[in-house]
Amino acid sequence: MNIFVPGRLCLFGEHSDWAGLYNRTNSEVEPGMAIVTGIEQGIYGYVERSDKFRFRGMKEDGSHGEWIEWPMSVKQLKATAEEGGYYSYVAGVAAFMLEYYDVGGLSVDITKVTIPVKKGLSSSAAICVLVARGFNLTYDLQMSVRGEMEAAYRGEIMTPSRCGRLDQACAYGEKPVLMRFASENIEVERLAVGKDLHWVFADLNGEKDTKKILSSLNACYPFAQDEQSKKVQEALGPDNRKLVEQVIEAMRRGDAARIGALMDESQRLFDEKVAGACPSEFDSPLLHAVMADPEVKHLSLGVKGVGSHGDGTVQMICADAEKQEALCAYLNGKGMDAYVFTIKRQRSVRKAVIPAAGFGTRMFPATKVVKKELFPVVDRDGIAKPALLVLLQELEQAGIEEVALIVSPGDREEFDRLFKRDLTIEHYRKLPKALREVNVAIQRLGQKITYIEQEEQLGFGHAVYQAKDFAGEEPVLMLLGDHIYTTDSRKNCASQLMDAYERSGQLTLSLDEVRLEDVMHYGIITGQFTDGEERLMQASDMVEKPTMEYARLHLGVKDKRGVDKYYCVFGQYVLTPKVFELLGRDIAEGRKSENGEYGLTSVLREICRTEGMTAYRIDGERHDIGIPEEYLRTMAKYGKENE
Ligand code: UTP
């Protein structure tokens, strides 16, 4: 099995990882916060099972090193780790994996190294993650990325070298993450990036003494004894938090100019408050010369140090790829080792929830034998598919990585029949090529699904709440299991909604226009459009099934010509953690809606009125399959679209 692990670069919040640890001794020390990203360069390895732990690294000239072997013995692996040196890291990780997971041996062959070693890019952490991941995948241990990160850290700290807690963020790949450090606890959150961001980093080829830097700064903790220590704690604590929060927001918008300004601000703060703690290292003449260089100023939007700071590595952000290349060439010409890396646009929504545990009473008796989410529809490609498959394909196209399906106990088997059960060979042979491909796609989509059981059918809101742990602290897309969606737009409906969420950052749901005569069947949303196209709306209220009279008086939204329009929920939502928090409260307090079920509308309404809610008028159509006459219409409509 081939594995690639990138190097990692700390963009903002350096030193706040270890500083956050002091929160355990002094609760006034603020938890640390850092933005870390994997880079394009990294370490490639080939791993396979073995009866021993075998490792072959690469020499600096790019040739293979020697194979080294250890028996799978915690004692012997730990002894190698404690000795220090090149092999200590990997032996430490192997010792941890053996002790905690009781694994067999592993052979790890490092095949290519594209990351510069000892340049503040955590090449050692990347190797440790590679070994942890190697064990995880070859022994199918089902460890999460966070678990691999922990194993890499625990392995590395068995060695005399002291890595920080930032380093193993490379386990998250090339995606930027926010790390929070409070005492021993670490939280990792993926970050959204609105547009490609063009970074340059360069080794200043200067001198710095990292040990001295770390001991001088650590001397300012846990309790600040003098003015200088107070300043360091301020800079790495509250100042850093405010700065990082602003960077997250700027990254979400893809605002490179703002990030550049925040880089300058961060370095200014560092020079003002931290540098005095270790002036000999933080004078950093090379770094400051780069910052003052008119050509660098011309080509970049901001400059700051990297890692422990000092004259080690410098990072810069540019407005576009052209300037990025030009800056890199310029710095190389000045005798530095400069590299480019681009943080690719990342959406923050990567998980979706589909509730599919309802009784489907309105489609009885069909639902006595088939879940309505599995009803057949003829898709636009002319293939007859269970409705859920159509939904999953939409989610895959929108870039969703994981899907939670809320099912009622006993229904799982029905879904497994679609996703898990293989066809008999006779059946498979009868399939034309196109349908064989669909069969492969079904298996691939099935791998993204996590089943969550709703023990009792206590309503839509209750069903959604079952996904609380699955969602964690991330925003999640939620689609009704008994609808399918179409659009003629280049972007499918889920994608349009996710983009709207990235623009607003708040609870976002999709809108559909509805006639005044029909408002009593739907959740109706009112508010004000905030863009010229009348698509993005800041919602001000949401009312479930209002009367026509109430809607006419209170819920109309004027279009450009001053005519009142009415909007209902389209059936797709981006839910924030607050939604799960409030649903949890309602369930704990038994706050049911009028029909005796736990609903979602009251919670959305509460958030709309307190924190704010965005609604987006989707360019597309929704098709209901949960009501007989609607199902009939859906069939007819889909048929038309195929013609
Ligand atoms: P509906 O309101 O359509 O309810 O649910 P239902 O029970 O499926 O259908 P009827 O009203 O009995 O005909 C909207 C979505 O929420 C799910 C449904 O499966 C559907 O996808 N749901 C509803 C649950 O998962 N659990 C529930 O307790 C209720």
Side-chain angles (χ1 to χ4, degrees):
M1 191 180 300
N2 289 302
I3 299 180
F4 167 73
V5 178
R8 74 98 190 98
L9 189 62
C10 180
L11 305 177
F12 285 88
E14 297 92 344
H15 291 299
S16 79
D17 55 336
W18 58 257
L21 280 174
Y22 285 111
N23 175 265
R24 192 176 43 181
T25 352
N26 176 4
S27 60
E28 281 177 15
V29 171
E30 277 228 15
M33 258 173 114
I35 298 177
V36 187
T37 185
I39 57 172
E40 285 154 24
Q41 295 84 2
I43 296 181
Y44 298 75
Y46 179 79
V47 297
E48 61 187 345
R49 282 192 193 199
S50 162
D51 52 350
K52 305 188 180 71
F53 179 60
R54 307 171 71 234
F55 181 84
R56 183 166 75 155
M58 290 202 92
K59 295 191 189 147
E60 276 185 26
D61 64 5
S63 64
H64 286 290
E66 299 296 317
W67 277 107
I68 309 282
E69 292 183 356
W70 296 263
M72 283 309 277
S73 138
V74 174
K75 210 167 158 198
Q76 292 198 32
L77 287 163
K78 269 193 179 166
T80 305
E82 282 158 14
E83 267 167 29
Y86 185 69
Y87 296 104
S88 62
Y89 303 100
V90 291
V93 180
F96 176 82
M97 295 304 296
L98 179 57
E99 196 169 10
Y100 284 79
Y101 292 91
D102 199 17
V103 283
L106 187 74
S107 164
V108 181
D109 192 7
I110 301 299
T111 49
K112 195 158 90 174
V113 178
T114 55
I115 180 181
V117 179
K118 293 192 185 136
K119 297 292 182 206
L121 300 173
S122 294
S123 50
S124 60
I127 291 194
C128 289
V129 168
L130 194 144
V131 172
R133 186 162 293 166
F135 276 110
N136 183 21
L137 297 180
T138 40
Y139 288 95
D140 194 19
L141 301 174
Q142 311 271 331
M143 289 164 82
S144 63
V145 176
R146 179 75 181 77
E148 291 173 351
M149 209 175 118
E150 193 64 23
Y153 174 70
R154 299 286 293 270
E156 196 161 347
I157 57 169
M158 270 182 221
T159 73
S161 130
R162 283 288 160 263
C163 62
R165 297 238 60 176
L166 284 173
D167 302 344
Q168 302 77 23
C170 56
Y172 283 85
E174 285 173 38
K175 296 175 178 173
V177 292
L178 167 71
M179 299 183 81
R180 281 200 190 83
F181 313 93
S183 305
E184 299 290 325
N185 300 323
I186 301 184
E187 285 171 20
V188 185
E189 199 182 300
R190 287 183 205 258
L191 294 177
V193 180
K195 291 189 192 130
D196 286 0
L197 296 172
H198 305 279
W199 243 268
V200 172
F201 57 105
D203 183 356
L204 293 161
N205 288 333
E207 300 271 319
K208 75 165 173 177
D209 185 341
T210 308
K211 274 198 182 133
K212 190 168 171 191
I213 293 176
L214 286 175
S215 67
S216 312
L217 294 183
N218 272 272
C220 303
Y221 288 84
F223 297 97
Q225 305 288 1
D226 53 28
E227 276 310 305
Q228 179 56 59
S229 304
K230 241 190 231 159
K231 279 197 208 163
V232 169
Q233 292 204 9
E234 248 167 46
L236 302 184
D239 293 349
N240 176 60
R241 173 175 46 77
K242 281 180 214 142
L243 204 100
V244 166
E245 280 166 356
Q246 292 177 60
V247 178
I248 292 171
E249 186 46 35
M251 284 178 87
R252 200 174 63 71
R253 292 195 313 267
D255 187 345
R258 177 78 185 129
I259 297 170
L262 291 163
M263 271 183 170
D264 287 342
E265 168 70 7
S266 154
Q267 186 62 45
R268 194 194 58 71
L269 252 172
F270 197 90
D271 288 339
E272 183 195 315
K273 295 192 175 174
V274 183
C278 188
S280 61
E281 291 301 315
F282 290 144
D283 274 357
S284 22
L286 296 178
L287 174 70
H288 289 98
V290 169
M291 287 164 63
D293 185 323
E295 190 59 12
V296 173
K297 281 194 174 152
H298 167 63
L299 292 170
S300 74
L301 299 165
V303 185
K304 73 185 274 290
V306 173
S308 53
H309 276 61
D311 269 347
T313 307
V314 59
Q315 58 177 312
M316 289 143 273
I317 188 167
C318 301
D320 53 44
E322 220 172 290
K323 290 222 164 92
Q324 182 189 34
E325 284 301 334
L327 180 57
C328 189
Y330 175 73
L331 296 171
N332 278 325
K334 286 243 157 197
M336 292 169 225
D337 293 327
Y339 307 84
V340 299
F341 85 105
T342 301
I343 299 184
K344 296 266 178 343
R345 177 174 175 258
Q346 303 279 337
R347 282 206 187 110
S348 51
V349 183
R350 41 172 221 99
K351 294 179 181 173
V353 176
I354 304 178
F359 288 122
T361 323
R362 287 168 295 173
M363 292 302 275
F364 186 85
T367 43
K368 195 172 176 210
V369 278
V370 186
K371 296 287 303 172
K372 62 181 170 176
E373 292 76 13
L374 295 175
F375 277 5
V377 287
V378 180
D379 202 358
R380 300 221 269 187
D381 54 13
I383 297 175
K385 298 175 187 171
L388 180 62
L389 194 58
V390 178
L391 269 189
L392 290 177
Q393 287 181 321
E394 166 152 3
L395 294 179
E396 187 176 53
Q397 277 169 13
I400 290 292
E401 297 166 17
E402 295 173 45
V403 180
L405 200 60
I406 314 296
V407 296
S408 57
D411 279 352
R412 166 105 193 241
E413 163 62 18
E414 212 176 317
F415 293 102
D416 276 350
R417 230 166 56 212
L418 173 63
F419 295 113
K420 294 271 156 69
R421 199 172 303 161
D422 276 338
L423 295 177
T424 59
I425 191 70
E426 296 79 16
H427 192 167
Y428 181 78
R429 283 200 185 121
K430 278 187 95 171
L431 291 181
K433 188 165 170 284
L435 295 186
R436 286 184 185 178
E437 280 167 13
V438 175
N439 193 45
V440 173
I442 291 173
Q443 309 226 331
R444 188 186 63 240
L445 291 167
Q447 283 170 2
K448 295 187 176 189
I449 298 181
T450 302
Y451 293 96
I452 300 176
E453 287 195 352
Q454 184 191 17
E455 299 285 339
E456 277 182 282
Q457 277 45 67
L458 297 178
F460 183 46
H462 183 261
V464 172
Y465 180 69
Q466 308 309 308
K468 182 177 191 294
D469 290 343
F470 168 81
E473 286 305 305
E474 296 181 32
V476 290
L477 179 69
M478 196 264 293
L479 307 187
L480 296 179
D482 54 4
H483 279 64
I484 46 177
Y485 308 89
T486 52
T487 179
D488 294 326
S489 153
R490 200 171 43 83
K491 277 189 192 163
N492 71 28
C493 300
S495 244
Q496 292 176 39
L497 178 68
M498 285 156 70
D499 283 348
Y501 170 79
E502 298 306 342
R503 283 164 73 182
S504 78
Q506 56 179 208
L507 169 65
T508 304
L509 47 80
S510 50
L511 288 183
D512 199 9
E513 200 181 325
V514 63
R515 295 180 316 169
L516 180 60
E517 301 87 273
D518 293 330
V519 290
M520 67 289 284
H521 302 300
Y522 301 98
I524 303 295
I525 291 168
T526 187
Q528 265 198 326
F529 284 110
T530 55
D531 64 344
E533 287 174 82
E534 301 199 329
R535 292 220 172 264
L536 203 62
M537 177 196 280
Q538 187 61 47
S540 57
D541 203 2
M542 177 172 185
V543 180
E544 187 67 25
K545 302 191 174 94
T547 60
M548 251 172 78
E549 191 50 19
Y550 184 90
R552 202 176 54 75
L553 288 175
H554 304 287
L555 303 175
V557 180
K558 293 226 180 310
D559 70 4
K560 278 185 193 147
R561 290 170 298 137
V563 178
D564 273 334
K565 293 274 173 68
Y566 301 89
Y567 296 99
C568 69
V569 186
F570 183 83
Q572 302 192 339
Y573 310 69
V574 175
L575 305 178
T576 53
K578 187 79 184 173
V579 173
F580 293 96
E581 185 193 315
L582 296 184
L583 282 172
R585 178 205 60 193
D586 283 0
I587 292 167
E589 294 174 6
R591 290 195 203 178
K592 292 184 180 167
S593 56
E594 281 159 23
N595 62 0
E597 294 188 340
Y598 293 105
L600 183 66
T601 309
S602 57
V603 162
L604 300 185
R605 188 179 203 201
E606 186 174 336
I607 296 177
C608 178
R609 290 176 167 186
T610 51
E611 298 187 350
M613 178 170 91
T614 296
Y616 186 79
R617 192 167 58 83
I618 294 281
D619 180 5
E621 269 190 78
R622 81 199 140 92
H623 308 275
D624 196 334
I625 55 169
I627 306 172
E629 56 273 29
E630 289 293 329
Y631 185 52
L632 197 60
R633 206 171 299 155
T634 299
M635 293 296 97
K637 190 96 199 187
Y638 254 65
K640 274 223 176 75
E641 281 168 1
N642 289 329
E643 279 166 12

